[in-house]
Amino acid sequence: NAGVTQTPKFRVLKTGQSMTLLCAQDMNHEYMYWYRQDPGMGLRLIHYSVGEGTTAKGEVPDGYNVSRLKKQNFLLGLESAAPSQTSVYFCASRSLGETGGYEQYFGPGTRLTVT
Amino acid sequence: DAKTTQPPSMDCAEGRAANLPCNHSTISGNEYVYWYRQIHSQGPQYIIHGLKNNETNEMASLIITEDRKSSTLILPHATLRDTAVYYCIVRVAEGSQGNLIFGKGTKLSVKP
């Protein structure tokens, strides 16, 4: 049981280039999330999904797109990377409908630098 | 979701108990208190959560005051590997998008 995995772990992009970050979970979770974390700050929600085929905007969605074609995968795309998107990106997942609170599982992160 | 207030940093001697406070004076009756931690360069890790009663698991204990306006996370025997940023988060269990709202947390340094 690998939990939540993220690909790649590191990436350097030039301004204007595009890329896709992949998140995969093997826990059959309904909910998946993409966060970004900038130095000295907490995590901020970019986009999320409440099930296969659904996506929704979070707190800081501009410049990103997402897709959830399969339940176990959640893709984050940068169409035209900007230096302001230099950050560490974390994916997370959780199950649906748990009462009494829930645990959210996080991946190890992707460090992205845009020059 | 209710806001939380945590001290920016704390030190603890290895082997001693680490007591991390959190103030959430505007918490609502249906909001849970969650604790996560983030060890340097890793993804956040769930520690514990509670609603009203004190909770204990293999990692920590959570003490919630009777009025629920504050809580304390207790690591009973801190080790060097417990050095991390600890986040206190309050939110409802369901009925929303379910994301966690992270503040700046408390940076706990466990010293030999």
Side-chain angles (χ1 to χ4, degrees):
Chain A
N1 198 349
V4 180
T5 58
Q6 293 182 231
T7 309
K9 288 184 171 55
F10 302 92
R11 185 71 185 269
V12 178
L13 287 179
K14 293 184 178 180
T15 298
Q17 288 185 320
S18 63
M19 78 163 293
T20 300
L21 283 67
L22 170 64
C23 175
Q25 53 94 4
D26 60 2
M27 296 172 283
N28 202 35
H29 284 169
E30 293 290 337
Y31 285 73
M32 295 187 75
Y33 306 87
W34 275 108
Y35 294 88
R36 62 176 287 175
Q37 185 174 35
D38 300 309
M41 298 184 67
L43 281 71
R44 293 183 293 169
L45 182 67
I46 306 171
H47 285 279
Y48 66 99
S49 168
V50 300
E52 182 178 318
T54 73
T55 63
K57 294 180 180 180
E59 179 187 357
V60 289
D62 293 343
Y64 304 96
N65 57 75
V66 287
S67 64
R68 183 99 181 268
L69 299 180
K70 293 183 178 181
K71 187 177 183 179
Q72 64 268 33
N73 295 336
F74 195 27
L75 279 63
L76 178 70
L78 286 73
E79 292 183 344
S80 179
S84 61
Q85 294 177 304
T86 293
S87 190
V88 181
Y89 293 84
F90 289 101
C91 177
S93 72
R94 74 171 179 99
S95 59
L96 173 67
E98 291 183 25
T99 58
Y102 54 84
E103 176 178 349
Q104 199 164 113
Y105 296 81
F106 285 82
T110 294
R111 291 185 174 275
L112 175 65
T113 302
V114 183
T115 61
Chain B
D1 296 323
K3 290 185 177 180
T4 61
T5 303
Q6 299 177 253
S9 64
M10 292 182 64
D11 290 340
C12 178
E14 188 178 18
R16 304 296 293 267
N19 297 276
L20 291 89
C22 180
N23 183 290
H24 33 79
S25 58
T26 60
I27 192 170
S28 301
N30 62 346
E31 288 184 312
Y32 286 72
V33 179
Y34 293 84
W35 283 85
Y36 281 73
R37 73 179 183 183
Q38 187 172 24
I39 297 170
H40 182 62
S41 299
Q42 298 182 19
Q45 177 190 22
Y46 166 85
I47 301 173
I48 199 167
H49 74 274
L51 182 62
K52 295 180 183 178
N53 300 322
N54 298 337
E55 302 287 345
T56 296
N57 63 21
E58 65 278 4
M59 288 183 68
S61 295
L62 174 60
I63 308 298
I64 302 174
T65 58
E66 192 170 345
D67 63 7
R68 302 210 323 123
K69 293 185 176 182
S70 65
S71 61
T72 301
L73 178 74
I74 301 173
L75 307 179
H77 305 288
T79 70
L80 298 179
R81 289 178 294 179
D82 292 321
T83 292
V85 178
Y86 287 77
Y87 297 98
C88 170
I89 300 166
V90 293
R91 64 158 295 111
V92 296
E94 291 299 339
S96 65
Q97 63 200 38
N99 64 296
L100 298 170
I101 300 174
F102 289 79
K104 294 188 176 181
T106 296
K107 184 173 183 179
L108 176 68
S109 298
V110 181
K111 300 181 183 299

